[in-house]
Amino acid sequence: MLNALLLLVGLLSPFAGFSASSAMGPPPAEPVSELALLQAPLSSPARGTMTAERLEHFDSMGGVSLSDDVQLILSKKGEPERIEEDDFTGFTELHYGNLAIGLYEDLVYYVHTGPSPKNITLNGKVIPLQKPWLERYLGKPDFVAEDGDVYIRGHAALKLYKDADTGKITGADLFDDTVS
């Protein structure tokens, strides 16, 4: 019976953070648990969890969904600080601080944040705009352009604009690529 218990403990050790030998004696000098990996400080993600939280779709940025209409935006965000209309393209842009919401026929076409944001909120998740965090949540870019990196999920795309000289992120756009 004790052998069966030790075997079970040994099989569960990758998930529980201990081994069969540690069950019989003092714990290892530096036990590592999955909980400790998930509670890594924001300065850098834990190595073993780089793909654990990859976003498989893009729905919203800054609390604005690509499926929102102008009435829903106004109910969520209130009156914008300013409104800009472009007669040539037909776009209307609502401005809330560093967030700009582009509308086409009263539906969200894009959401832009800048200048030089430190993080973005995608699908309600705050993502620091640093390489390890971008790789964790977004993976590798689908396209690398002169002015930034593009990530595509279905009919939505995220573009992170970069300064050509420094590589620093200067802005981000979430947009629906089905509207033309």
Side-chain angles (χ1 to χ4, degrees), residues 8-27:
L8 182 60
V9 168
L11 291 173
L12 295 177
S13 65
F15 303 103
F18 59 88
S19 64
S21 62
S22 68
M24 298 299 291

Side-chain angles (χ1 to χ4, degrees), residues 33-41 44-54 132-133 135-137:
S33 70
E34 291 296 313
L35 183 58
L37 289 174
L38 294 175
Q39 294 177 339
S44 65
R47 274 210 137 92
T49 62
M50 291 303 284
T51 59
E53 298 184 58
R54 185 168 189 263
W133 291 102
E135 287 180 359
R136 176 180 183 171
Y137 290 106

Side-chain angles (χ1 to χ4, degrees), residues 17-112:
F18 59 88
S19 64
S21 62
S22 68
M24 298 299 291
E30 294 182 24
V32 176
S33 70
E34 291 296 313
L35 183 58
L37 289 174
L38 294 175
Q39 294 177 339
L42 281 180
S43 59
S44 65
R47 274 210 137 92
T49 62
M50 291 303 284
T51 59
E53 298 184 58
R54 185 168 189 263
L55 296 177
E56 298 300 325
H57 61 280
F58 300 141
D59 290 326
S60 65
M61 186 166 82
V64 177
S65 173
L66 291 174
S67 63
D68 288 351
D69 63 18
V70 68
Q71 294 302 324
L72 190 52
I73 293 167
L74 294 174
S75 70
K76 286 180 180 181
K77 299 281 191 186
E79 289 297 317
E81 294 169 9
R82 73 179 193 278
I83 300 173
E84 295 177 6
E85 294 187 27
D86 186 331
D87 293 331
F88 181 72
T89 63
F91 285 103
T92 301
E93 204 170 68
L94 307 179
H95 292 266
Y96 296 91
N98 67 346
L99 193 69
I101 303 164
L103 302 171
Y104 183 74
E105 297 179 358
D106 288 338
L107 296 174
V108 173
Y109 176 58
Y110 65 88
V111 182
H112 174 80

